[in-house]
Amino acid sequence: MSKKLIGSCIFGQSGGPTAVINASAYGVIRAALDAEEITHVYGAAHGIKGVLADKLYVMDEEDPKELELLLHTPSSELGSCRYKIADPEVDDTDYKRILEIFKKYDVRYFFYNGGNDSMDTCNKISRYMESVGYECRVMGVPKTIDNDLFGTDHCPGFASAAKYIATSCMEIHKDASVYDTPMISVVEIMGRHAGWLAASAALATEYGSGPDLIYLPETDFDMDKFIEDVKAVYERNQGNVMVAVSEGIHYADGSFVSEAKTSATDGFGHAQLGGLATLLANIIKERSGAKVRGIELSLLQRCGSHLASATDINEACGAGMEAVRQAVSGTTGKMVAFKRVMVDGKYTCEYELLPLTAVANYEKKVPVEWINETQNGLKHEFIDYVLPLIQGEPEIPREDSLPRYAHLKKVLAK
Amino acid sequence: MSKKLIGSCIFGQSGGPTAVINASAYGVIRAALDAEEITHVYGAAHGIKGVLADKLYVMDEEDPKELELLLHTPSSELGSCRYKIADPEVDDTDYKRILEIFKKYDVRYFFYNGGNDSMDTCNKISRYMESVGYECRVMGVPKTIDNDLFGTDHCPGFASAAKYIATSCMEIHKDASVYDTPMISVVEIMGRHAGWLAASAALATEYGSGPDLIYLPETDFDMDKFIEDVKAVYERNQGNVMVAVSEGIHYADGSFVSEAKTSATDGFGHAQLGGLATLLANIIKERSGAKVRGIELSLLQRCGSHLASATDINEACGAGMEAVRQAVSGTTGKMVAFKRVMVDGKYTCEYELLPLTAVANYEKKVPVEWINETQNGLKHEFIDYVLPLIQGEPEIPREDSLPRYAHLKKVLAK
């Protein structure tokens, strides 16, 4: 046990929203408010941008009941950002400013909740503070629907998105098979480089109402083979075909199938994908003459808190609490990770700590051994992996049968 | 009380699927199985097409527990159709065939579940059977997410779709306001001629997280005014704008705004709409330079049984049961309609009977008095109308946290 470090904390949210990132926020904020070492709890408006802009909300001023509603409030309640921080060796302007703010509010704890890019930010801040001798414990809390963070069994946000995707695919399959005329539906699912989300559509098939074909970015996409696959199912199923594709499917040369349709890029240089379902539907229509429908699950799949997994919420909140517990005990420069432990065949989840340096900027993909031989579906190993994660229905707080989200006062720190 | 009519019954589902059309199916099938006047209960495969094709499933052979799961199974479990039956005066081929099938199975009761076009089919069959002196009681059970059936306060299927739309809009609004950079989202909602579904997005706004602007087909759409509306909200909300549009919005000359993008038509001669969200998003992007996102709620909005309204399920099931009760009591040529009765300020719903002739082919639209003066939002009268309908969360049967739908044996009648 290292010496007691007394001071304020800042918590920030970064990257794309999820159904449970606010559950992690609640975990951090609640544990920080309860920690005697932590004097004030600040929430950064729009992640690191709020720190740079001196825009911090005083969490101590919030109604505890409203804070608890964060467990069921989707998206990033404090605001998020996609801000690429420079390497401190190249340009330390931002770091000097962060240090200034840390000093202003006597910040000794920094918790950052996000994906790959956010762990990179976290790591750089941690290294900088160490290099200038400012004592501050920096902890990363994982988050990404993409489930692609290295070194953790899974990531908060993934399971709720997976459950949304599986349930929606079950409903789409029911809807799309209602007429006795041929109908091909193509469902586009998020996932730039890792196919975890599109793979989750396999749950719908496993439970009797899902896609016949699933394509992931873990393998190369071949348009001719795709058309053949669709035709084969078409023959077998009297014209009823449902296809799920990851937005990130690409040809053998690495170019995205959706590429022709997109040009804009986000702050991290990722291509912004979309419109793939329509594109594939049109190609199938041209070549087969069948009735087709392109469906994009869109951002609904990442913020569908009404369909969240209770397991995901609990783990996301727990990860936030664990980050605070570890930090006040002396840990720094680590991300809280999940370790799957099977006890008597039953899934349980344990926390472990990973060095931020080991996590940042690596991408974990769906193991190719879990993809079937014909590269258009998942093996049962994937179902075994994902099924425990989506378990449990949370008690959703409601007002007149609509979701009741947290209403925070967001009092600005001075 | 008219004389007892002993014989079989046929039940059919028609038109687009909903979250609760199977709840009506359960209501009819359960009540028919329990009625001593009804000897056999047949479910027509794909509505009237199944009658014409002599493809009838024997409901008496089904496991009662599986039948009960129909209450929570989306889409049309027996299969649906979009079959336009000829006028018997013009071409009576289909009617002769229907009569042949009715005689073959001693069918004395015919229940048909659908929207405007289905009530028209129902009406024609009823008149034909009467004209040839074949005693058969024909009852219509309403269904349409579009809520546009004449003479009924509301239609089964609408409320569950409205709840899905409201909840999804709340989640989209949270997601789309996460960054501190401008973002305009355009959500496209179903509804060809009536704006009931798009109007339901107003519930999200009423509960604190919904669209700033809503456009319905009940008024003429003006692109310049739309751009001005968006700009005004953009200025007011620091660039955060959420818009909900009905797929059926049209210019003053009656042409659909989405028209340029579509050409295919369905069996009833309706234009197939879609792609409007993207189209509007692109126009806004061109004229404002802002970041935009087009989101189509797609068929998810009509088959989202996991978010169904318990009120809707109960009423849909009740309407089916009422149709059977009325038919065995001697009623024919009627549709079961809903009458809203407020008791001590509390919503209740009573059944009433409408002549099929009065219902068929009329469309009920959102009253223009419920649309605001600037024609880009709803007044509170609409909230008062829709709110009671979406109340109540059903107990969704689940297996491993995914929906457990009905598995019917579908034994063919011989």
Side-chain angles (χ1 to χ4, degrees):
Chain A
M1 185 88 181
S2 69
K3 81 165 170 71
K4 248 190 189 176
L5 179 64
I6 308 287
S8 307
C9 89
I10 291 180
F11 167 72
Q13 301 178 303
S14 175
T18 79
V20 303
I21 184 168
N22 286 328
S24 287
Y26 181 68
V28 169
I29 295 165
R30 186 67 268 158
L33 288 170
D34 294 343
E36 56 179 26
E37 293 85 350
I38 297 179
T39 50
H40 291 93
V41 182
Y42 300 111
H46 301 286
I48 199 66
K49 284 176 86 172
V51 180
L52 293 167
D54 195 2
K55 200 172 169 193
L56 305 174
Y57 304 126
V58 188
M59 291 295 112
D60 314 67
E61 304 268 353
E62 300 293 344
D63 176 344
K65 279 187 195 139
E66 292 297 330
L67 283 178
E68 204 177 336
L69 287 170
L70 286 173
L71 288 168
H72 306 285
T73 302
S75 190
S76 307
E77 192 57 24
L78 301 176
S80 186
C81 66
R82 286 193 176 278
Y83 184 80
K84 184 131 182 96
I85 199 162
D87 263 319
E89 291 78 20
V90 177
D91 179 0
D92 65 357
T93 320
D94 282 349
Y95 299 90
K96 282 181 174 162
R97 174 64 176 159
I98 293 168
L99 181 61
E100 187 183 349
I101 297 295
F102 277 18
K103 284 181 175 168
K104 177 176 175 185
Y105 295 102
D106 188 28
V107 173
R108 296 292 168 180
Y109 296 94
F110 182 67
F111 303 101
Y112 211 44
N113 194 182
N116 272 313
D117 299 310
S118 311
M119 292 308 126
D120 178 55
T121 301
C122 219
N123 183 33
K124 285 170 176 164
I125 293 173
S126 176
R127 272 168 32 216
Y128 179 82
M129 293 302 159
E130 208 173 328
S131 74
V132 297
Y134 180 84
E135 191 171 14
C136 180
R137 297 184 188 152
V138 177
M139 294 289 290
V141 182
K143 171 242 64 154
T144 171
I145 57 163
D146 290 329
N147 203 38
D148 59 354
L149 282 184
F150 183 80
T152 181
D153 177 75
H154 57 282
C155 303
F158 163 64
S160 294
K163 189 169 179 171
Y164 183 94
I165 290 161
T167 306
S168 297
C169 281
M170 289 182 80
E171 293 175 344
I172 290 170
H173 187 263
K174 278 284 170 196
D175 189 290
S177 56
V178 79
Y179 299 117
D180 60 352
T181 46
M183 164 64 96
I184 303 174
S185 1
V186 181
V187 182
E188 177 181 339
I189 296 167
M190 282 180 168
R192 279 188 182 90
H193 302 297
W196 296 101
L197 291 176
S200 304
L203 281 167
T205 314
E206 175 77 12
Y207 285 80
S209 182
D212 306 288
L213 301 164
I214 302 174
Y215 298 90
L216 309 185
E218 275 76 3
T219 63
D220 294 335
F221 187 83
D222 180 306
M223 190 62 82
D224 293 325
K225 179 182 169 292
F226 169 69
I227 306 275
E228 286 310 309
D229 286 354
V230 170
K231 276 189 183 162
V233 178
Y234 189 93
E235 299 300 324
R236 204 168 65 226
N237 285 2
Q238 288 86 47
N240 241 300
V241 187
M242 180 171 170
V243 180
V245 290
S246 173
E247 62 172 339
I249 53 167
H250 55 80
Y251 297 111
D253 68 0
S255 64
F256 288 119
V257 176
S258 63
E259 210 155 52
K261 308 280 282 183
T262 59
S263 58
T265 55
D266 69 21
F268 289 107
H270 305 308
Q272 276 211 353
L273 307 177
L276 174 64
T278 311
L279 186 144
L280 287 178
N282 286 340
I283 291 173
I284 299 172
K285 190 175 192 158
E286 259 171 45
R287 300 218 199 168
S288 70
K291 196 171 171 184
V292 293
R293 187 146 205 165
I295 299 162
E296 201 185 333
L297 290 190
S298 173
L299 50 79
L300 287 162
Q301 67 199 286
R302 71 180 180 198
C303 59
S305 64
H306 75 273
L307 252 184
S309 148
T311 301
D312 195 17
I313 292 177
N314 292 339
E315 292 178 356
C317 177
M321 292 188 154
E322 178 71 5
V324 174
R325 258 195 306 269
Q326 289 290 344
V328 297
S329 308
T331 308
T332 184
K334 298 281 199 293
M335 182 190 85
V336 177
F338 294 156
K339 190 178 166 187
R340 178 184 302 239
V341 181
M342 300 302 283
V343 180
D344 299 332
K346 242 192 117 202
Y347 165 89
T348 57
C349 179
E350 287 177 5
Y351 303 113
E352 53 182 358
L353 297 173
L354 295 179
L356 286 168
T357 42
V359 182
N361 297 329
Y362 292 94
E363 277 174 342
K364 195 183 68 171
K365 306 199 172 188
V366 177
V368 284
E369 314 88 76
W370 293 1
I371 300 171
N372 69 9
E373 282 68 27
T374 44
Q375 307 199 333
N376 55 18
L378 277 297
K379 293 192 194 162
H380 210 274
E381 283 89 333
F382 176 77
I383 303 291
D384 293 339
Y385 166 81
V386 72
L387 197 58
L389 309 181
I390 67 159
Q391 296 306 302
E393 280 60 59
E395 286 245 2
I396 307 285
R398 287 192 174 86
E399 183 179 1
D400 293 337
S401 276
L402 290 171
R404 168 64 164 83
Y405 298 147
H407 302 154
L408 300 189
K409 285 183 269 186
K410 298 191 179 175
V411 178
L412 278 175
K414 276 177 199 153
Chain B
M1 186 85 185
S2 67
K3 80 165 172 68
K4 250 187 185 175
L5 180 65
I6 308 289
S8 308
C9 88
I10 291 179
F11 167 74
Q13 301 179 303
S14 175
T18 78
V20 304
I21 186 167
N22 286 330
S24 287
Y26 180 68
V28 169
I29 295 165
R30 186 67 268 157
L33 288 170
D34 293 344
E36 56 177 28
E37 293 85 349
I38 297 178
T39 50
H40 291 93
V41 182
Y42 300 111
H46 302 287
I48 197 67
K49 284 176 86 173
V51 180
L52 293 167
D54 195 1
K55 198 173 171 192
L56 305 175
Y57 304 125
V58 187
M59 291 295 114
D60 313 68
E61 303 268 353
E62 299 293 345
D63 177 343
K65 279 187 195 141
E66 292 297 330
L67 284 177
E68 205 177 336
L69 287 170
L70 286 173
L71 287 168
H72 306 285
T73 303
S75 190
S76 306
E77 192 57 25
L78 302 176
S80 186
C81 67
R82 288 192 176 277
Y83 184 79
K84 187 133 181 87
I85 198 164
D87 263 318
E89 292 80 19
V90 177
D91 178 0
D92 64 357
T93 320
D94 282 349
Y95 299 91
K96 283 181 174 160
R97 173 67 175 156
I98 293 169
L99 180 61
E100 187 184 348
I101 297 294
F102 277 19
K103 283 181 174 167
K104 176 176 175 186
Y105 295 101
D106 187 28
V107 173
R108 296 292 169 181
Y109 295 94
F110 182 67
F111 303 101
Y112 210 44
N113 193 182
N116 273 311
D117 299 310
S118 311
M119 292 307 127
D120 180 54
T121 301
C122 220
N123 184 32
K124 285 170 177 164
I125 294 174
S126 175
R127 273 168 33 219
Y128 178 81
M129 294 300 160
E130 209 173 327
S131 74
V132 297
Y134 181 83
E135 193 172 11
C136 179
R137 296 184 187 150
V138 177
M139 294 289 291
V141 182
K143 172 243 61 156
T144 170
I145 58 162
D146 290 329
N147 204 38
D148 59 353
L149 282 184
F150 183 80
T152 181
D153 178 75
H154 57 281
C155 304
F158 162 64
S160 294
K163 189 170 181 171
Y164 183 94
I165 290 162
T167 306
S168 296
C169 281
M170 289 183 79
E171 292 175 344
I172 289 170
H173 186 265
K174 279 285 169 196
D175 189 290
S177 56
V178 80
Y179 300 116
D180 61 351
T181 45
M183 165 64 97
I184 303 174
S185 1
V186 181
V187 182
E188 177 183 339
I189 296 167
M190 283 181 168
R192 279 188 182 91
H193 301 297
W196 296 101
L197 290 176
S200 304
L203 281 167
T205 315
E206 175 77 11
Y207 285 80
S209 183
D212 305 288
L213 301 164
I214 302 174
Y215 299 91
L216 309 185
E218 275 77 4
T219 63
D220 294 334
F221 186 82
D222 181 306
M223 190 61 83
D224 293 325
K225 181 183 167 292
F226 169 69
I227 305 276
E228 285 311 308
D229 287 355
V230 169
K231 275 190 183 160
V233 178
Y234 189 93
E235 298 302 323
R236 205 169 64 226
N237 285 2
Q238 290 86 47
N240 240 300
V241 188
M242 180 173 169
V243 181
V245 292
S246 173
E247 62 172 338
I249 53 166
H250 56 80
Y251 296 112
D253 68 0
S255 65
F256 288 118
V257 176
S258 62
E259 210 154 52
K261 306 281 282 184
T262 60
S263 58
T265 56
D266 68 22
F268 290 106
H270 306 306
Q272 275 212 355
L273 307 177
L276 175 64
T278 311
L279 185 146
L280 287 177
N282 286 341
I283 290 172
I284 300 171
K285 190 172 193 159
E286 261 172 42
R287 302 220 199 167
S288 70
K291 195 172 172 185
V292 294
R293 187 145 205 167
I295 298 162
E296 201 184 334
L297 290 191
S298 173
L299 49 78
L300 287 163
Q301 68 198 286
R302 70 179 179 198
C303 59
S305 64
H306 75 272
L307 251 184
S309 148
T311 302
D312 195 17
I313 292 176
N314 292 339
E315 292 178 358
C317 177
M321 292 189 153
E322 178 70 5
V324 174
R325 261 196 304 270
Q326 289 289 344
V328 297
S329 307
T331 307
T332 185
K334 298 280 198 293
M335 183 191 85
V336 177
F338 293 156
K339 191 178 165 186
R340 179 184 301 241
V341 181
M342 299 302 283
V343 179
D344 300 331
K346 240 191 120 203
Y347 165 90
T348 57
C349 179
E350 288 178 2
Y351 303 113
E352 54 182 358
L353 297 173
L354 294 179
L356 285 168
T357 43
V359 183
N361 297 328
Y362 292 95
E363 276 175 343
K364 195 182 69 170
K365 305 198 174 190
V366 177
V368 283
E369 315 88 75
W370 292 1
I371 300 171
N372 70 8
E373 282 69 27
T374 44
Q375 306 200 333
N376 55 20
L378 277 298
K379 292 191 193 162
H380 210 273
E381 283 90 333
F382 176 76
I383 304 292
D384 294 338
Y385 166 81
V386 72
L387 197 57
L389 310 181
I390 67 159
Q391 296 307 301
E393 279 61 59
E395 287 245 1
I396 307 284
R398 287 193 174 84
E399 182 179 0
D400 293 337
S401 276
L402 289 170
R404 168 63 164 86
Y405 299 146
H407 302 155
L408 300 189
K409 283 182 271 186
K410 299 192 179 174
V411 177
L412 278 176
K414 279 178 196 152

